[in-house]
Amino acid sequence: MISHRAIKFVTKPSCAYLQPRQQYSTSAANKAIGFIGLGQMGFHMAKHLQSQSQAPFIVYDANIEAMERFQQQVPAVTAAACPADLASKASVIVTALPESSHVQAVYTGPDGILEGLGHNTLCIDSSTIDTSVSIKVSQSVIDAGGRAVDAPISGGIMGAQAATLTFMVGSQNAEDFEQAKLHLSKMGKNVVRCGELGAGQAAKICNNLLLAISMIGTSEAMNLGIRLGLDPKVLASIINTSSGRCWSSDTANPVPDVIPSAPSTKGYQGGFKSKLMLKDLGLVSNAAKETKTPLLLGSMAENLYRHLAQNPQMAEQDFSSIYQWLISSSQK
């Protein structure tokens, strides 16, 4: 068990002292940058953002161990007692959270961001969640006097580590986008405005739909080639210089030892978990139903990852472990 004394908190670890948000103003006094969500992606993103920012830096995560680990690596930061505490001190807030329910709780729940939000505070949500939830949360921030953009990410843990992420941004105006871009560009190399609020989420789920399908296709092609007697490295080199080339083959090839830096070569660790890909495919399915869009390969991909996620070990592994699932399934 970790003691609160091991962490340098902005305040005592309680948010009961906070006053109504009208008291706070970030227009002049509060210049800190706040980051909420120190998971596998957020941890690296926050490190890059902090190292390239001159402002004081405040972090929060529901997991106290994550905050302690971050402070051990970046001693200059302080830890907030809760999202509302962080919001009361920051003029820019970045959130990177797993699911819609987490984003709703962090922003609109008890001791949430809205309880400490200052006027004109810029909130950047880089979570991948339901588009409708994203728009609703963003509108709540705007109604409370803040500014909001949705900026989900593509690039995975490797991209977060290397600061080469792509941010797909939805904003209510160009000014908010440009302000957000100043901070997002410190964590990634591509920052693209996709349209109005929610447009970033829409672009992200379309990207991940294609990503899931391409990973399954790459896994099937590699498996077939190996069974036909081809050397996997030779086959991959051909695919990666031919029309079948894709990220799932040339960067995250699902066959171990083909790409040294790929999660498959590291025991399918350190990548985008299969259970999170299943979650994203669920978001795709919801969006398709809302828009009456047919999903043929997408539905098959969701079904395959649902079966894979029933294996507790594979659910926690990188989504390229679908290759191992295909192998094991074909041997039954």
Side-chain angles (χ1 to χ4, degrees):
M1 182 175 179
I2 296 176
S3 169
H4 285 161
R5 289 177 296 179
I7 302 178
K8 182 173 63 175
F9 283 96
V10 177
T11 64
K12 62 182 180 180
S14 169
C15 280
Y17 72 93
L18 286 173
Q19 300 299 316
R21 61 174 173 263
Q22 287 85 351
Q23 173 181 340
Y24 300 106
S25 174
T26 57
S27 58
N30 300 331
K31 297 296 184 182
I33 295 173
F35 199 105
I36 299 177
L38 301 175
Q40 292 190 80
M41 295 287 290
F43 195 94
H44 300 292
M45 292 166 60
K47 285 182 68 176
H48 286 299
L49 182 58
Q50 188 276 335
S51 67
Q52 298 184 56
S53 301
Q54 300 299 317
F57 205 84
I58 309 170
V59 297
Y60 176 78
D61 194 286
N63 183 349
I64 292 180
E65 291 184 4
M67 288 197 289
E68 182 185 57
R69 188 166 63 252
F70 192 86
Q71 283 195 307
Q72 288 173 345
Q73 296 188 27
V74 190
V77 307
T78 50
C82 65
D85 182 27
L86 181 145
S88 71
K89 308 294 191 300
S91 59
V92 176
I93 302 170
V94 180
T95 50
L97 303 163
E99 299 181 11
S100 296
S101 60
H102 301 116
V103 173
Q104 289 174 311
V106 163
Y107 277 89
T108 64
D111 294 334
I113 287 173
L114 293 186
E115 292 190 7
L117 188 71
H119 178 69
N120 218 34
T121 295
L122 176 62
C123 295
I124 305 170
D125 182 36
S126 288
S127 315
T128 299
I129 60 174
D130 269 309
T131 302
S132 59
V133 172
S134 176
I135 294 173
K136 183 178 180 180
V137 170
S138 292
Q139 194 58 56
S140 295
V141 170
I142 293 169
D143 291 343
R147 294 179 294 160
V149 303
D150 52 287
I153 316 153
S154 179
I157 292 176
M158 291 183 288
Q161 291 172 331
T164 56
L165 296 170
T166 291
F167 290 92
M168 295 153 274
V169 184
S171 65
Q172 67 172 351
N173 55 55
E175 180 183 355
D176 288 350
F177 167 72
E178 292 298 334
Q179 287 297 311
K181 186 177 181 180
L182 293 174
H183 304 283
L184 296 175
S185 60
K186 298 173 182 177
M187 299 179 282
K189 67 176 184 179
N190 298 307
V191 184
V192 182
R193 188 183 183 209
C194 301
E196 299 297 317
L197 292 172
Q201 296 293 346
K204 174 60 188 292
I205 62 174
C206 290
N207 177 79
N208 277 22
L209 166 64
L210 182 57
L211 178 61
I213 293 170
S214 69
M215 181 58 77
I216 294 169
T218 300
S219 297
E220 287 191 337
M222 294 297 296
N223 188 35
L224 175 61
I226 291 169
R227 289 182 171 223
L228 289 172
L230 292 172
D231 181 291
K233 290 185 178 179
V234 172
L235 176 56
S237 69
I238 292 170
I239 291 173
N240 295 338
T241 55
S242 303
S243 56
R245 181 180 182 181
C246 61
W247 185 89
S248 295
S249 179
D250 69 9
T251 301
N253 196 286
V255 180
D257 300 318
V258 169
I259 304 292
S261 60
S264 59
T265 303
K266 305 173 183 177
Y268 297 97
Q269 300 301 312
F272 184 55
K273 292 182 180 181
S274 296
K275 66 179 185 181
L276 294 180
M277 176 56 82
L278 177 60
K279 183 264 293 186
D280 284 1
L281 289 171
L283 299 178
V284 169
S285 180
N286 291 341
K289 290 175 182 176
E290 291 175 1
T291 58
K292 295 181 172 58
T293 302
L295 283 182
L296 303 179
L297 296 180
S299 295
M300 293 177 66
E302 183 182 13
N303 189 45
L304 287 173
Y305 274 102
R306 182 175 292 109
H307 284 292
L308 183 151
Q310 291 175 358
N311 181 313
Q313 180 180 4
M314 288 185 171
E316 297 294 329
Q317 290 177 334
D318 180 70
F319 77 108
S320 61
S321 62
I322 190 72
Y323 171 75
Q324 294 294 340
W325 184 86
L326 288 170
I327 291 176
S328 63
S329 297
S330 63
Q331 292 174 342
K332 293 179 180 179

